[in-house]
Amino acid sequence: MSHMKKQGGPVLTQALDRPSKPTCLIVASGAVAGVSAQSFLHSFTLGSSAFNLQVATPGGKSIDFTDVNETNMRWIQDFQLKSYANPAKLESTDGARYHAVLIPNCPGAMMDLANSGYLARILQHFRAEKKPLCAIGHGVAALSCATNEDKSWAFQGYSLTGPSVYELIRQPDFASLPIIVEDFVKDSGAAFSASEPDAVHVVLDRHLVTGQNDNSTVAAVQNLILLCNGRK
């Protein structure tokens, strides 16, 4: 028996010595119908395998999910009962405490995150420190808040993807959208690419990962995890 104990000892020590997971901040919109259920589900479940996650929204508002369907409804309902489903306030979030930032597909991002000075501060820190950053679908619009004092964009010179005009035009409110990501990216001195509508399309440029749409969530988050693993 003593021999068995000796064998078990080092394994336990290794487990205790293993470094804790890196921390990842999931930034979500607090707007009505603000967050894609499917993209958030994939972001959270895949992200939690590699990160300690913290969700934050403007004002700490609870998330209002859109596109809830039979495949994700149960997960969303279970998630909303968890204590960690209560988002932290973006306003009191210190970006320096996190190793990565993940912005899932948030149609509401155009309404709140795209104008958030608090998110801008976090993104500028990530840009300066070249920390892994991932934005998906409409979540890419949130990156537009990160303008420098001279009005230039923090991600000028980067390559990105996001919702294509062909995907946006299907929305009933297309004419009144406050930001067209493709136009903003190009006008701000960055490169934009998109594949056909609903295709999986991910762009990795330095420490920035962007995904075109809901369907690109898994591939984008996997790239974020790879980036973080590469920094250790």
Side-chain angles (χ1 to χ4, degrees), residues 91-112:
E91 293 79 357
S92 51
T93 302
D94 178 9
R97 292 180 50 206
Y98 296 92
H99 298 94
V101 161
L102 171 55
I103 309 173
N105 183 17
C106 300
M110 294 179 277
M111 311 309 294
D112 54 10

Side-chain angles (χ1 to χ4, degrees), residues 178-190:
I179 179 171
I180 304 291
V181 170
E182 180 171 350
D183 293 345
F184 176 86
V185 169
K186 289 175 177 174
D187 292 346
S188 303

Side-chain angles (χ1 to χ4, degrees), residues 7-65:
Q7 272 191 325
V11 176
L12 181 63
T13 315
Q14 281 175 349
L16 292 172
D17 289 346
R18 193 178 298 148
S20 59
K21 291 179 183 176
T23 51
C24 177
L25 180 68
I26 294 184
V27 179
S29 170
V32 175
V35 180
S36 158
Q38 198 64 19
S39 183
F40 187 88
L41 182 161
H42 286 308
S43 295
F44 198 93
T45 51
L46 193 55
S48 60
S49 68
F51 301 114
N52 286 322
L53 298 174
Q54 171 67 60
V55 181
T57 60
K61 289 180 186 169
S62 56
I63 295 173
D64 186 30
F65 291 102

